[in-house]
Amino acid sequence: MKENPLENEEDKEARLAYLEYNLERLSEELYAQSQLIKKQQVQLKYLADKLKAYETSNIAPRSEETPPPHY
């Protein structure tokens, strides 16, 4: 049984429209995720810088520490 050429063409157009719609949605989601990653990278750098500053300010170098009382 042969298919009707018009139905076949309509099916192709419907599939193409569906694929175009999904491609647009995926593109928008990819853009949103890339923006989120950029924001998180900035936040992570900020936190890493704060942690580095905190670590260096609270710990005295070994040469500046006083020896324990039993020495």
Side-chain angles (χ1 to χ4, degrees):
M1 183 186 248
K2 286 190 171 186
E3 292 184 25
N4 183 350
L6 291 178
E7 284 181 8
N8 195 13
E9 188 67 28
E10 289 172 1
D11 288 343
K12 288 179 183 177
E13 287 177 6
R15 284 188 219 143
L16 180 60
Y18 176 76
L19 290 173
E20 287 175 341
Y21 171 75
N22 282 319
L23 180 61
E24 184 65 29
R25 287 182 54 212
L26 288 171
S27 179
E28 290 170 0
E29 186 63 31
L30 181 60
Y31 176 76
Q33 287 182 359
S34 70
Q35 294 301 105
L36 178 61
I37 289 170
K38 286 179 185 177
K39 180 180 176 182
Q40 289 174 336
Q41 286 174 331
V42 169
Q43 291 172 336
L44 183 59
K45 183 179 179 336
Y46 172 77
L47 290 174
D49 291 344
K50 283 196 72 110
L51 184 60
K52 285 178 187 175
Y54 179 75
E55 287 175 351
T56 57
S57 67
N58 289 340
I59 300 174
R62 195 170 192 83
S63 63
E64 292 179 11
E65 287 189 14
T66 57
H70 64 278
Y71 280 135

